[in-house]
Each structure stands twice: as C-alpha cells, then as structure tokens.
Amino acid sequence: MSSVRYAGFCLALVLALLLAGTSCRPSLAPPAGQPLPTAEAEIDMDKLRDRIDAVLDYTLAQRKLNTKDHAAWQILHGALAYQDVYPVEHEGKFVSAVDHLLQGGKMTGWTMERGSPLPFVGADGEKRVGLRALLEQGSKTGQGHNDQWLAILSQCDLPPETTIQFDGHEYTMADFIGQVQLDLSRNFDREYSWTLISLTAYLPTTASWVDSTGKQWSIPALVQSEVDQGFGSGACGGTHRLIGLSMALNRHTAQDGEMTPEWVAADGRIQEAITKARDYQNPNGSLSSNYFGRPGSSPDLAEDIGTTGHTLEFLSLSLTEDQLREPWVARAAQHMCKVFEQTEGAPLECGALYHAAHGLVLYRQRAFGPREYKFDLTSGPKDQEEVAAK
C-alpha cells in the first residue's frame, strides 16, 4: 500500500472511532433475536389497573415506618401518596401519620414554631397567629424545601378550619397558609414549587397579598417566576417545579381563570416537558434517567423508581384522561409496576418510592377512576406481621 493511501486509511479509521465515541446515550438495543418494544405495543388496560392496585396495596400494607426510627421527611412522603390513610407505628400501635401530627403528636423533623400575628381574624372574631414550619435543607429528617409540609397537607383535602395542635397552642390550616404568605421574602432560593401547590389549594388563583416586608406578591407572579427558571434547575430534574405549575394551572382552569401571559407561559412549559418525556422514553417503557434534559436509562432500579416515578407523577397531573390511556403513558405505568414488583422487600429511599407511588395513585385515579385505600389502624404491628405471613 502506498504511503498516501495508508495515511488516508489511518485518517478514516481515526475519524470513525471518534464518531463512534460521540454518542452520550447508551445503546438500548435488545439482545439478538429479541424484538424491540414499540411505543404502540398493545396493553391490556384492565390488567394494568389490577397490577397498579396490587403494587399500591403492597406498598401501603408492607412498607412500614415508625416514629422511633424514621422522621417526618420519610413519613410525610408516605402521606403524600396515601393521604390520611397512611399509617405510622407509634408506641406499639398504628396511627394515621397525618392525624398524629394534627393532634400534636411528636415526630423527628416536624420542626415548627409560633409565627407572626396574621392580618385576619378567626371565626370567633379573635386575631390569629401563624404557624411556621422551619426549613432544614439536606437533613432528610425535616422540611427539605420551602413550604413542603404545607404542600403535602394541602393534598390531603383538609379544610382551612382544620385544627393543628402544636406546643400547647391550637392553630388552623388557615393560620399555616397565612404564615406562608407573610414569609415569602424568606424564600431566598426562589423555590416556589411547593408554595404554588399549597396556596392554590386554598386561595383563588388570582390572589395577591403583601408579605411581612411590605413586598407585593400574587399567584400569577409565582407562576411566572417558576416558568422563568426553566428545566435546568429545580429538585428531581425539575419535576417538582412542573408538578407545581401543573397543579396551579389545573386549579386556575377549574376556576375559569383568564389565560393571562403567565398562565400561557406555564402551559407552554408543561407541554414542552410532556413532549420531551415522550421523545426520551426508553424502549422498555421507562422514562429518561436524565428527566427532560436528554435521553438516558439506568440499570439501577432504585434510580429508575426516582426518575420514572417523578416524571410519571408529573404526567399524571398534566395530561388529560384520554392522553393518560395512550400506549406510551400506559407503558410507563406498566414499567413502574414491574420495578415495584422487582424491589418488593428491598429497602428503598422514601422520597423516590412514595413519589412514584403517588404517580401511580394519580394515574390510577385519572385513567380508571378513584379507589379507596385501607389500612387497619386497630391492629398492632404483631397482628400485621401475622397477616402478612399467612
């Protein structure tokens, strides 16, 4: 071979090797002889519904937490999925985790304090004082994000007059909400995902108010701030920000609210995320391990629960009932069921686990209709162990 032809051959070989190494996405091709699943693969929806029910019932009945070894961060994630049905073992018996806290029960990480005088009076004509949840970022025991505790309680269908006992004083959900409104200037991270979830559960989506520093706020302003922060920031790949925007927009639509520029921008961001979730879905039904940034998959089932679970939670809030029954979304729910089944009995991080469970609860409710979740709070831990053994 001439030196010129040999040099050309070497250059071509180097270029081929370089091009082969530029792809960031791992190969998703199945082993030889196995067909590649398609997004339009037919799914038996009745079987999917029953499978969802089975994994949710197992998670509620068999994955138990207690107030001695576990903290509010773990326990309240369970309440996010199952609301006031979610049990926690306390002093040898099971109690509703939500009721336990409302009635003044102790729990590590449920770190509260008496707040400020509020600019309204109660039903009895008396001036009210707020209730403040303290931020404990990164602790994995206490409130990890601004207004996270109120956001979880707000999804438990608690009326504003619901009482909360704390440190010898009686507060209401309205007092908790009022304190959040006063404290918005304390949210130095400008993380309003949980704030939107909680405030739009109780206030009109056109509401405006002044905080304790004299700064003017409104629900539309919070929406615009969340939109402006885009996909590149935010907890869990930005899914929490999208969940907050979706819940706020759903409530705005339910109130026949005008689609002002802030709400139009929120809808645009949500629709963009839906498109990315579908475009980046893996052949096995899982959603991208890189969320909305780029395609990706992970062999780690615990990571898969976190990424697919959070994204499915967002989709279950943002898609219509008809869209939720489309094959690509059903395949994501089916995949999530499979991962739950494969990890039965294995310890899992509570945030990822219960956000995924919440996603399945929402998917089941909107795609097939609501169902009731039950746990026998009259039985003790030993009774439950005997039932599980049978």
Side-chain angles (χ1 to χ4, degrees), residues 97-229:
V98 171
D99 290 347
H100 175 73
L101 292 174
L102 295 179
Q103 294 165 12
K106 302 293 184 181
M107 188 180 293
T108 303
W110 181 250
T111 313
M112 316 289 279
E113 68 179 13
R114 191 167 176 82
S116 310
L118 299 173
F120 58 79
V121 297
D124 57 2
E126 296 292 324
K127 288 190 175 181
R128 303 297 302 176
V129 174
L131 178 65
R132 178 185 291 122
L134 300 183
L135 187 64
E136 300 181 57
Q137 287 177 315
S139 71
K140 295 292 185 177
T141 57
Q143 180 174 244
H145 304 275
N146 286 283
D147 308 324
Q148 185 180 20
W149 287 170
L150 180 58
I152 291 175
L153 292 181
S154 75
Q155 294 175 76
C156 295
D157 297 326
L158 301 176
E161 62 272 16
T162 301
T163 57
I164 307 172
Q165 305 291 332
F166 179 75
D167 197 25
H169 297 278
E170 182 175 278
Y171 303 88
T172 66
M173 285 293 289
D175 299 334
F176 204 167
I177 297 158
Q179 191 64 53
V180 164
Q181 290 179 271
L182 287 181
D183 285 349
L184 269 168
S185 288
R186 297 166 62 119
N187 188 337
F188 302 115
D189 295 330
R190 295 174 61 243
E191 188 179 41
Y192 305 125
S193 310
W194 289 267
T195 313
L196 273 177
I197 291 170
S198 53
L199 294 187
T200 58
Y202 293 97
L203 303 178
T205 55
T206 55
S208 62
W209 63 94
V210 176
D211 75 6
S212 60
T213 69
K215 183 175 180 178
Q216 184 75 36
W217 293 90
S218 71
I219 298 294
L222 294 176
V223 167
Q224 188 63 59
S225 177
E226 288 292 275
V227 170
D228 290 344
Q229 295 188 62

Side-chain angles (χ1 to χ4, degrees), residues 231-278:
F231 290 116
S233 63
C236 302
T239 53
H240 289 291
R241 178 161 290 135
L242 289 162
I243 287 167
L245 288 172
S246 294
M247 295 185 79
L249 181 58
N250 290 344
R251 290 161 178 166
H252 186 67
T253 302
Q255 295 171 23
D256 296 322
E258 181 183 355
M259 289 298 288
T260 55
E262 301 91 345
W263 297 105
V264 171
D267 184 53
R269 182 70 71 200
I270 290 165
Q271 297 305 318
E272 182 183 1
I274 291 170
T275 299
K276 289 178 180 291
R278 177 168 185 166

Side-chain angles (χ1 to χ4, degrees), residues 282-345:
N282 295 307
N284 66 353
S286 66
L287 300 166
S288 176
S289 58
N290 296 309
Y291 296 99
F292 310 101
R294 62 186 186 278
S297 63
S298 173
D300 185 336
L301 295 181
E303 182 181 357
D304 195 355
I305 280 183
T307 54
T308 298
H310 274 86
T311 306
L312 180 63
E313 185 182 24
F314 155 65
L315 293 173
S316 296
L317 286 162
S318 59
L319 295 173
T320 67
E321 284 82 355
D322 288 340
Q323 288 174 321
L324 287 172
R325 298 186 191 96
E326 291 179 2
W328 76 278
V329 192
R331 289 180 57 249
Q334 179 176 258
H335 174 77
M336 200 75 277
C337 288
K338 180 179 179 181
V339 177
F340 268 72
E341 292 160 355
Q342 290 175 323
T343 54
E344 285 186 1

